[in-house]
Amino acid sequence: VEQMHESRCYLGGTGQKQMSCVTCHNPHDYAEPARQAAFYRKKCLDCHAEHGCTEPLEVRMKKSKDDNCVQCHMPPIAATDIIHNASTDHRILRTRATRPAQPTPVPAGPGRLTLRPFGRDRIDPEDKEMLRDAGLALVVQGSHGKAPPQLVGAQAVTLLDEALRRVPDDVEAWEAKGLALAMAGRPTEVAAAYERALALEPDRETALAAAANLALNQRQPDKALDYLRRAAVVDPWSRDYRAKLVGLLSARNEWDEARPHAQAWLRMDPGNLQARQAWITCLIKAGKKEEARQEFAVIEALDPNNLGDLRRWFERQLR
């Protein structure tokens, strides 16, 4: 939608001619693939019938046998924030050669980054909610690699501190502040921000995961275990939580607790050799060597490149 708002088609419309999503996407009339080219071409010609494409028809037909407007003016683009997603450039460009869309934030002087709120010309310094949202947006930009983390982290902390003074139970702001503090290079304060978020919302998965990673990085296994145990209850389908729990519990020889996590990890990721090794180790620790041999036969059937190393590892486990 932001790309559409940048298009000349949107900017040139007014009143009933003002473009919107439903101008082209009718929720009551899905255009199946066989008729998409004609369907969307008609949408274009609703406005461009008199002044249509400047390319001669024979040239257009060489590019697209269906004379598909979208093929040239809305080429595919890579979506970086939604995995396994195909999208098209909704700026509706005149040519493919036009430069790709740039991120919204632009540098504005040393040590600052300016964000433009969607649909607004600028951030209103008197609008406290907008400033709070700007703090959250800066954290997103920094954590997604779209801006220098240390620069936006310090700026976001200032905005979020002000927001939390006004609304101290803003759990989203506390979690974002934890990320901002980490980006700003203030690691000793990060845990307290996550704890405040979790005090307000004990089952907040994103905060639990962030706090667990922080504890792991700071070599605090007891804290990491606590957060990961809680996270695995909230989201029992996370392979990441299960793998980390197995690693921490096995390091403490707590095999009884590690076993169900290893089994769940393997069930969710049966092709993962590390998951299979973890499950085999749990079986051996429980005295189930025959079952462990059967599980290792599965690894042999998978025929990994390092099978020789894995066989030697298995023999050591059996001793």
Side-chain angles (χ1 to χ4, degrees):
V1 68
E2 292 175 2
Q3 290 179 350
M4 181 190 74
H5 276 244
E6 293 180 354
S7 72
R8 290 182 64 183
C9 294
Y10 177 86
L11 295 172
T14 58
Q16 292 185 341
K17 285 290 186 179
Q18 178 66 70
M19 190 182 213
S20 72
C21 296
V22 294
T23 301
C24 299
H25 299 289
N26 184 343
H28 303 292
D29 184 12
Y30 169 69
E32 60 275 8
R35 68 184 184 102
Q36 280 181 0
F39 180 87
Y40 289 115
R41 184 169 183 275
K42 183 180 181 303
K43 296 292 184 182
C44 294
L45 293 177
D46 283 346
C47 295
H48 296 283
E50 293 184 14
H51 302 285
C53 188
T54 57
E55 288 274 27
L57 178 60
E58 58 270 20
V59 175
R60 301 203 305 267
M61 295 300 286
K62 287 180 181 179
K63 294 181 180 179
S64 169
K65 63 181 179 61
D66 299 315
D67 194 12
N68 186 353
C69 305
V70 169
Q71 185 167 318
C72 286
H73 298 284
M74 298 181 67
I77 57 173
T80 58
D81 54 351
I82 306 175
I83 61 172
H84 307 307
N85 176 64
S87 187
T88 56
D89 194 330
H90 277 62
R91 291 173 300 158
I92 317 174
L93 305 171
R94 289 180 64 86
T95 68
R96 287 177 181 269
T98 305
R99 65 182 176 85
Q102 299 298 310
T104 298
V106 295
R112 301 288 295 173
L113 195 81
T114 295
L115 298 179
R116 179 170 61 83
F118 179 57
R120 308 280 284 273
D121 292 332
R122 63 185 179 86
I123 292 176
D124 181 356
E126 301 302 319
D127 188 331
K128 302 303 182 184
E129 283 300 307
M130 185 180 289
L131 291 173
R132 176 260 189 195
D133 292 345
L136 297 179
L138 286 167
V139 171
V140 171
Q141 294 295 311
S143 60
H144 288 183
K146 296 181 179 180
Q150 193 161 4
L151 183 148
V152 298
Q155 194 172 339
V157 169
T158 299
L159 293 169
L160 293 170
D161 276 342
E162 175 59 31
L164 288 166
R165 276 192 288 271
R166 292 187 302 105
V167 186
D169 61 351
D170 186 343
V171 64
E172 190 176 14
W174 277 114
E175 184 180 345
K177 183 181 175 181
L179 286 168
L181 287 165
M183 288 189 287
R186 295 162 60 179
T188 58
E189 303 171 65
V190 177
Y194 290 145
E195 280 297 333
R196 288 294 298 271
L198 290 168
L200 293 164
E201 192 177 321
D203 292 337
R204 188 175 180 85
E205 183 183 351
T206 49
L208 287 168
N213 288 332
L214 175 69
L216 287 170
N217 291 335
Q218 295 182 340
R219 299 187 179 184
Q220 297 175 321
D222 291 343
K223 285 188 176 182
L225 266 174
D226 175 61
Y227 293 129
L228 286 167
R229 284 168 175 147
R230 292 160 62 186
V233 172
V234 175
D235 180 6
W237 298 103
S238 170
R239 292 173 291 182
D240 183 59
Y241 302 156
R242 301 291 190 167
K244 288 174 179 175
L245 279 167
V246 170
L248 287 168
L249 292 166
S250 61
R252 300 157 70 106
N253 290 316
E254 295 182 14
W255 298 105
D256 288 342
E257 186 180 352
R259 195 174 302 117
H261 294 299
Q263 190 172 26
W265 179 19
L266 179 60
R267 185 172 60 250
M268 290 183 280
D269 197 359
N272 188 312
L273 292 177
Q274 289 182 318
R276 289 202 169 275
Q277 286 179 272
W279 177 234
I280 288 169
T281 303
C282 286
L283 289 172
I284 291 173
K285 295 296 182 180
K288 300 179 179 181
K289 292 187 176 181
E290 187 54 39
E291 288 186 40
R293 289 189 178 93
Q294 294 173 10
E295 287 295 332
F296 189 76
V298 176
I299 290 181
E300 291 181 309
L302 292 171
D303 195 23
N305 293 332
N306 62 336
L307 183 56
D309 293 336
L310 289 169
R311 281 173 173 155
R312 286 187 286 274
W313 166 83
F314 184 56
E315 289 302 320
R316 289 196 299 271
Q317 298 300 310
L318 290 174
R319 291 173 192 162

